[in-house]
Amino acid sequence: MKDQNNEKLDFFITQEGKQVKLDIPVEGMLGLLAYGDIGLKAWRKKRTEELEKIKKVKK
Amino acid sequence: MGNRISKRVLLIGWDGADWGLINPLLDAGKMPALEKLINKGVIGNIATLDPPISPVLWTSIATGKRADKHGILGFVEPNPDQGGIRPINVTSRKCKALWNIFHHEGMKSNVIGWWPSHPAEPINGTVVSNYYQKVDNSDEKKWFMPNGTISHEGSKKDLFNLRFHPSEITGDLLKPFVPLIEKINQDEDNRLLGIANILSQTISIHSASTWVMRNTEWDFMGIYLDAIDHVCHGFVKYISPKMDHISESDHEIYKDVVEGMYIFHDMMLERLVELAGEDTTIIITSDHGFYSDHRRMATLPKCNTAPTFEHNPFGMFLISGPGIKKDERVYGASLLDIAPTILALFGLPVGKDMDGKVLGTIFENEIKTDFIESWEKIDGDFGEHSEIDQEDTFESAEALRQLVELGYIEDPGEDKTLAALKAGYEAKYCIAKIQITRKNFTEALSSFEELYHIDKTDIRYNLELLRLNLHLQKFKEAKEILENLRTIPDAGFVHLSFYDGIIAFNEGDSIKALDFFKQAEKEGGGGSGIHNQMGMIYLQLQKYDEAIEAFSKELNEDENSYLAYYGLGVSQLHLNIFEDAADNLLNSIGLIYSYPPSHYYLGVALYHLERFQDAANAFELFLKLAPTNLRAHKWLSKIYGVHLLDKNKQIINQNYSQQLMKGQVIIVSGLPRSGTSMMMQILEKGGISIFTDEQRIADQSNPKGYYEHAAVKRLSKDNTCIIDANGKAVKVIAQLLQFLPDNIDYKIIFMHRDINEIMSSQQKMLGKDPSIFPFAIAEAFKKELSRLEKWFKLQSNIELLDINYSDVIANPEIEILKTAKFLEDFNPNIPEMISAVDKELYRSKKI
């Protein structure tokens, strides 16, 4: 049962095959988590990236 | 093997979900994913089981068996290795779950979070146990995952990382549940933490589910989510309308938690449906519902499993997919039916030892179900544990803590022996409840008596023993328990006057019973069945309008009261309002399928609506649930013989009737002074044996005798005397006909006479002035005749002959011939019958 969205973390492919870029808020959103493991991973990735950015700024 | 209808089945468990909370959200367009499934599937209520304890219920869902067969008896169980207690463990399950059967059949299953499923069973597929989402440490980095949580070695790493820790929850994630989150002072109020915990666990289960769906092939997938139940236990008290004991600010802050959780479940559902694909059969079920109206409780009693008092006995059920009807309803579904139905969807045989049934009416085309004696007797690999795995005690402690916090179990404290002992009592309680379901009342009584004597302050033991004693008509014992209940401080919600009323009713004092029920009503006992009890009394008193009012009140308080629908239907039937009666009886069956009388009376209503095939189906169903009922066989014999012209079935039912019939009795009836004694005399002359004790001797009013039997006058209390009248004629006044026993065939000769003549004759007999007409009494008699006319229509074991007294006097030959033909089986002597008519006795002419 593989779906097309396997492991693509910051955009997803709609049922019509269209690629949609996800604008993930760093605070998260329920809709993303309702999307399941992909949404959770995408949010965590975003959080990590934001943290990295903050760290860089601090440096 | 039968025909496989489903390629895949996705079973989603929403613990505690209730249509009462869902319907307003659907109306507001807030659950679009569910709405879509409803429109292309079958929905209905699903009846829970007793006791309504979630791990017990979810195991019944997965096995099709009650707890005495499946062995999961509570939230916790004694820990055999270390003493004390531990959360209930799947190794205590003593029969096969669906996924074990699928494993044996070479199918693949994924099971996520099922309660209980730890340690994960080694089935073909992936099991993520119910310990997966439990959080044991406030530090995410130290969050341990116990051995046995995931069955599939290759999935462990990915699934480990998909667990969602409460510390990851942000304010933005909580806002949909608590829009006024900034008003909460978290130093003093930890309710937000509770929501964060529930939400994080739900996200863990959902993420694991979607990952497994995307990365594995599967035939069956079961996902269990407990968040709706948990938020309801914590927050349903805050929803609108505001409860009196809830502060304005708490109401404002927390009123949206429950709604938010339902909406979040709908969002997750959309994703699950998408991943499952169009060709998957999707089932959503809860294990019980949740009171969200005036039946919400302000306080819970202090006893184990007290939160179950908040459970509605009817949960929600939905099925959608290939071969399933569209936009339809299913009636009478039970949790026990889910496993047999899923087996049927896969074309697999159903074990005859399963307690549930295949929900046959949900299918577009009739399906043929195969049966085997038992899956337990089949050899082979079922993917079960080969030996009991060691429980991880650290994680057990965390799971126990959650159960304590939810109020499901008492804090076990330090005393391990006492905790284990109490777990044993809980298991005994569970088994005793099932003994009642299985009608093993003696065993149940002994168990509850033992539990009651162990702890007389436990309200559950008191209530169960009280109800059981009432059922067994042990009123002295019931009164003792009632007295004990009065000494328990938090038993106020029980409405003890209600039980006083039931005792009074059973002791034959209907009026006193009504007074008690009215008192209980004043005490705020609405919704606890008081109006049903009142309705039943009115039914017995034949006050059908009052009965309808009482049952309607019950339905206003509890729209899922099958007894109220039943009572309403029966009352309307007695008023010959057949269409409404059929509707209400169907509603009753829709809620509880296994209550036989609803099917019987539905059959009667449908017969009078001339829906003969439907009526026959209703009686057939009734006989499946309650075999050996003479009246139902009589109805079927009549329907098949006269209306459906099915000779074969007519004969079958006639034969059953003959076997069941305890005799045939001629009844002569009518209002007092309507000519019943004259007809008895005619029959006697004709050679028919008379059932009389000859105690009441002839007098001026009845110069040829009364032909009565003292025992018949006590019919309302004891109707056993009628069996002694087999083959004889017996005089029964009109008002007592309803008390005739069921298992006898009756030929009733009903005497009619002008009401003025009757009243005049009665006045004369009582030594009163015959010229004074007692209007009120005459009106009451007229009403009685009208009621009887309707009642006769509802009887199948009665043949009726109406005879007019004045016709007998004017044309005895014609009326006697008519009577003789009616009684031809008794071979009466007609000339002798005619000679018995004495016109001289026709004295009370109209005034």
Side-chain angles (χ1 to χ4, degrees):
Chain A
M1 186 68 37
K2 304 268 182 187
D3 80 338
Q4 293 184 81
N5 286 307
N6 196 13
E7 308 306 323
K8 292 183 176 68
L9 300 183
D10 49 5
F11 65 92
F12 74 98
I13 299 166
T14 65
Q15 282 178 351
E16 296 77 36
K18 197 179 160 195
Q19 219 176 70
V20 177
K21 175 88 173 114
L22 281 175
D23 185 16
I24 300 171
V26 71
E27 283 296 304
M29 58 181 186
L30 276 183
L32 197 60
L33 296 173
Y35 203 69
D37 60 311
I38 293 176
L40 174 58
K41 283 181 185 173
W43 181 39
R44 281 176 173 167
K45 185 179 168 226
K46 174 80 177 180
R47 269 179 10 207
T48 311
E49 287 168 0
E50 288 298 314
L51 271 174
E52 290 300 320
K53 275 186 206 166
I54 294 166
K55 276 182 193 169
K56 271 183 193 170
V57 170
K58 277 185 179 172
K59 275 179 188 173
Chain B
M1 201 181 219
N3 184 30
R4 181 166 173 167
I5 296 163
S6 293
K7 186 178 170 194
R8 275 189 301 275
V9 173
L10 170 60
L11 172 62
I12 302 170
W14 285 355
D15 197 313
D18 190 298
W19 288 119
L21 283 158
I22 292 171
N23 285 330
L25 296 173
L26 290 170
D27 293 344
K30 292 179 177 176
M31 294 187 79
L34 186 67
E35 176 89 56
K36 267 187 214 163
L37 289 176
I38 290 171
N39 291 339
K40 56 180 186 177
V42 176
I43 61 163
N45 287 319
I46 193 152
T48 192
L49 303 169
D50 213 8
I53 296 171
S54 289
V56 179
L57 301 177
W58 289 101
T59 307
S60 286
I61 290 172
T63 61
K65 294 177 181 177
R66 292 185 192 276
D68 54 344
K69 289 184 186 170
H70 68 53
I72 300 295
L73 302 176
F75 293 108
V76 292
E77 60 187 357
N79 189 332
D81 305 315
Q82 287 140 21
I85 54 171
R86 65 181 186 189
I88 194 79
N89 193 312
V90 76
T91 48
S92 293
R93 203 186 65 223
K94 56 188 187 189
C95 69
K96 293 169 179 63
L98 283 170
W99 40 89
N100 301 117
I101 295 170
F102 300 149
H103 175 95
H104 182 266
E105 298 301 303
M107 294 158 65
K108 290 182 179 172
S109 304
N110 295 324
V111 182
I112 317 291
W114 209 264
W115 196 9
S117 58
H118 191 86
E121 290 175 275
I123 57 164
N124 191 8
T126 302
V127 178
V128 176
S129 89
N130 58 308
Y131 278 18
Y132 174 73
Q133 74 279 22
K134 305 280 184 231
V135 180
D136 68 359
N137 202 301
S138 56
D139 183 350
E140 188 186 350
K141 287 179 185 146
K142 292 180 186 165
W143 189 8
F144 174 75
M145 188 163 83
N147 287 334
T149 300
I150 292 165
S151 67
H152 188 254
E153 205 54 44
S155 312
K156 270 187 185 166
K157 194 178 164 214
D158 287 295
L159 290 168
F160 180 89
N161 290 323
L162 288 172
R163 296 175 311 153
F164 189 80
H165 196 270
S167 61
E168 295 184 86
I169 295 279
T170 63
D172 281 13
L173 294 179
L174 289 171
K175 266 214 155 177
F177 304 93
V178 193
L180 301 176
I181 193 167
E182 64 278 0
K183 287 195 173 181
I184 298 171
N185 176 357
Q186 288 199 60
D187 293 334
E188 290 172 3
D189 183 351
N190 63 2
R191 282 171 284 190
L192 207 53
L193 189 63
I195 301 168
N197 276 326
I198 295 167
L199 184 59
S200 69
Q201 293 187 25
T202 307
I203 293 166
S204 293
I205 289 290
H206 182 60
S207 300
S209 303
T210 56
W211 186 89
V212 170
M213 286 174 92
R214 292 191 311 102
N215 290 284
T216 65
E217 297 293 331
W218 51 273
D219 297 281
F220 171 81
M221 177 131 184
I223 302 170
Y224 168 74
L225 294 161
D226 58 11
I228 288 175
D229 178 73
H230 289 186
V231 294
C232 281
H233 280 302
F235 298 92
V236 88
K237 56 179 170 278
Y238 302 115
I239 67 171
S240 297
K242 188 182 89 59
M243 293 176 81
D244 291 342
H245 71 292
I246 299 293
S247 71
E248 283 292 345
S249 70
D250 276 357
H251 171 64
E252 274 308 304
I253 292 171
Y254 293 111
K255 65 180 166 37
D256 301 311
V257 177
V258 172
E259 178 178 314
M261 194 52 81
Y262 270 100
I263 292 172
F264 184 52
H265 276 62
D266 192 73
M267 292 158 72
M268 293 189 290
L269 175 64
E270 185 179 20
R271 177 63 173 150
L272 295 175
V273 171
E274 183 193 356
L275 286 174
E278 278 293 313
D279 50 0
T280 299
T281 303
I282 292 168
I283 300 172
I284 306 175
T285 189
S286 58
D287 53 339
H288 56 78
F290 214 97
Y291 293 131
S292 57
D293 48 21
H294 60 279
R295 289 168 292 177
R296 286 177 291 172
M297 293 174 78
T299 51
L300 289 174
K302 289 180 190 67
C303 60
N304 262 346
T305 69
T308 60
F309 284 109
E310 298 184 295
H311 292 176
N312 179 348
F314 293 97
M316 59 86 68
F317 174 80
L318 174 149
I319 183 164
S320 164
I324 304 296
K325 286 178 182 168
K326 310 278 181 279
D327 200 14
E328 290 269 359
R329 290 189 70 93
V330 61
Y331 296 99
S334 147
L335 300 185
L336 295 165
D337 304 335
I338 291 175
T341 302
I342 292 176
L343 288 172
L345 283 164
F346 283 126
L348 291 171
V350 174
K352 284 185 187 168
D353 58 342
M354 289 182 170
D355 295 312
K357 61 187 180 300
V358 175
L359 293 170
T361 59
I362 62 172
F363 297 100
E364 277 174 342
N365 300 309
E366 200 171 323
I367 60 153
K368 184 184 162 289
T369 307
D370 294 330
F371 289 93
I372 55 170
E373 275 310 310
S374 171
W375 281 100
E376 308 309 317
K377 291 179 181 166
I378 306 288
D379 290 331
D381 178 10
F382 281 86
E384 295 166 289
H385 287 295
S386 53
E387 55 190 60
I388 297 175
D389 287 1
Q390 194 66 35
E391 178 82 5
D392 187 290
T393 52
F394 182 69
E395 192 62 20
S396 288
E398 288 311 311
L400 275 177
R401 186 179 52 78
Q402 185 170 342
L403 290 169
V404 171
E405 279 174 11
L406 284 167
Y408 277 125
I409 62 163
E410 280 179 65
D411 189 338
E414 296 298 316
D415 191 338
K416 285 185 169 184
T417 313
L418 184 64
L421 211 57
K422 282 188 173 176
Y425 299 153
E426 289 305 307
K428 197 175 194 67
Y429 173 76
C430 180
I431 289 290
K433 294 272 270 184
I434 293 163
Q435 282 166 338
I436 292 176
T437 310
R438 296 205 187 279
K439 302 194 189 318
N440 296 331
F441 298 120
T442 316
E443 291 93 330
L445 186 67
S446 149
S447 302
F448 280 126
E449 275 173 349
E450 191 187 328
L451 290 167
Y452 174 74
H453 287 295
I454 287 166
D455 185 0
K456 283 190 174 181
T457 64
D458 191 311
I459 290 176
R460 297 170 307 156
Y461 302 159
N462 277 269
L463 275 178
E464 294 300 339
L465 194 56
L466 171 63
R467 288 170 186 155
L468 200 50
N469 275 311
L470 287 174
H471 180 79
L472 297 170
Q473 308 211 314
K474 290 171 174 259
F475 300 120
K476 189 172 153 270
E477 290 84 348
K479 281 177 184 171
E480 278 173 25
I481 298 160
L482 257 181
E483 285 316 305
N484 185 57
L485 265 168
R486 290 185 208 283
T487 66
I488 302 175
D490 55 349
F493 75 98
V494 177
H495 302 300
L496 301 175
S497 310
F498 171 67
Y499 290 101
D500 287 322
I502 291 177
I503 291 174
F505 179 52
N506 280 288
E507 288 179 338
D509 194 340
S510 303
I511 306 303
K512 194 172 164 190
L514 278 174
D515 286 343
F516 276 124
F517 290 139
K518 283 173 187 167
Q519 191 181 326
E521 194 182 15
K522 272 189 205 156
E523 290 163 2
S528 52
I530 289 166
H531 292 114
N532 274 345
Q533 289 295 336
M534 292 171 87
M536 289 299 175
I537 293 175
Y538 286 128
L539 258 183
Q540 199 191 50
L541 297 172
Q542 298 165 18
K543 295 184 169 183
Y544 301 118
D545 291 326
E546 286 92 333
I548 286 173
E549 194 185 329
F551 291 123
S552 301
K553 273 189 187 171
E554 186 73 30
L555 282 173
N556 280 338
E557 291 152 359
D558 177 8
E559 60 181 10
N560 286 325
S561 172
Y562 76 97
L563 267 181
Y565 279 118
Y566 165 78
L568 208 52
V570 173
S571 308
Q572 287 160 335
L573 203 55
H574 279 91
L575 295 172
N576 286 189
I577 310 168
F578 298 118
E579 193 85 48
D580 291 353
D583 283 347
N584 284 311
L585 290 161
L586 266 174
N587 285 335
S588 176
I589 292 166
L591 290 162
I592 287 284
Y593 185 81
S594 57
Y595 187 59
S598 302
H599 294 276
Y600 177 86
Y601 286 111
L602 175 65
V604 178
L606 292 170
Y607 175 86
H608 287 286
L609 292 168
E610 300 186 4
R611 290 166 56 182
F612 299 117
Q613 186 59 60
D614 292 336
N617 293 344
F619 286 121
E620 297 279 11
L621 275 171
F622 167 75
L623 284 168
K624 273 186 193 162
L625 296 167
T628 70
N629 182 285
L630 171 67
R631 289 195 298 166
H633 282 298
K634 294 285 266 182
W635 276 112
L636 283 170
S637 171
K638 188 173 174 183
I639 293 169
Y640 287 128
V642 180
H643 303 287
L644 300 177
L645 307 178
D646 187 333
K647 202 80 193 153
N648 223 2
K649 286 186 176 170
Q650 182 199 10
I651 290 168
I652 290 170
N653 283 287
Q654 255 173 3
N655 289 342
Y656 274 123
S657 304
Q658 290 298 329
Q659 285 167 26
L660 294 168
M661 201 170 68
K662 293 270 191 281
Q664 192 177 37
V665 174
I666 301 166
I667 303 280
V668 175
S669 188
L671 293 174
R673 310 302 295 164
S674 59
T676 49
S677 298
M678 178 187 76
M679 181 53 78
M680 290 296 282
Q681 186 197 333
I682 292 169
L683 299 185
E684 187 182 32
K685 272 273 192 182
I688 288 169
S689 303
I690 303 298
F691 184 68
T692 173
D693 55 10
E694 294 178 350
Q695 277 183 16
R696 193 172 181 187
I697 51 169
D699 58 19
Q700 205 182 353
S701 296
N702 263 340
K704 297 199 174 179
Y706 280 87
Y707 296 91
E708 289 174 355
H709 197 299
V712 173
K713 295 179 187 172
R714 295 191 298 270
L715 270 185
S716 63
K717 290 192 167 61
D718 177 10
N719 62 13
T720 51
C721 66
I722 294 297
I723 200 70
D724 298 330
N726 184 22
K728 297 179 182 174
V730 52
K731 188 167 120 178
V732 180
I733 63 155
Q735 287 84 344
L736 291 178
L737 285 176
Q738 60 172 315
F739 300 111
L740 291 171
D742 283 346
N743 53 358
I744 290 173
D745 241 2
Y746 299 102
K747 281 183 170 283
I748 297 185
I749 302 169
F750 198 89
M751 299 303 295
H752 296 269
R753 191 178 182 184
D754 183 284
I755 194 72
N756 297 319
E757 289 181 29
I758 286 178
M759 296 323 300
S760 164
S761 178
Q762 287 186 6
Q763 290 287 91
K764 211 183 275 181
M765 188 178 169
L766 294 169
K768 294 180 180 172
D769 183 352
S771 64
I772 297 170
F773 189 79
F775 284 102
I777 298 173
E779 279 308 306
F781 280 154
K782 277 187 201 167
K783 267 191 191 164
E784 179 61 18
L785 288 176
S786 163
R787 185 194 66 77
L788 265 173
E789 196 183 330
K790 295 181 176 98
W791 181 79
F792 280 132
K793 285 187 188 171
L794 310 182
Q795 313 308 315
S796 62
N797 55 339
I798 288 177
E799 268 186 86
L800 182 67
L801 176 70
D802 290 302
I803 293 287
N804 199 310
Y805 179 85
S806 58
D807 291 344
V808 179
I809 300 298
N811 303 298
E813 291 81 5
I814 295 171
E815 296 307 305
I816 297 298
L817 274 175
K818 216 196 300 181
T819 307
K821 183 157 176 49
F822 181 64
L823 301 176
E824 61 185 350
D825 294 347
F826 292 81
N827 202 19
N829 184 327
I830 297 170
E832 285 294 322
M833 287 170 84
I834 295 169
S835 73
V837 180
D838 184 353
K839 294 187 182 185
E840 284 305 304
L841 291 180
Y842 184 50
R843 298 180 299 267
S844 299
K845 293 277 186 199
K846 283 184 211 173
I847 300 163

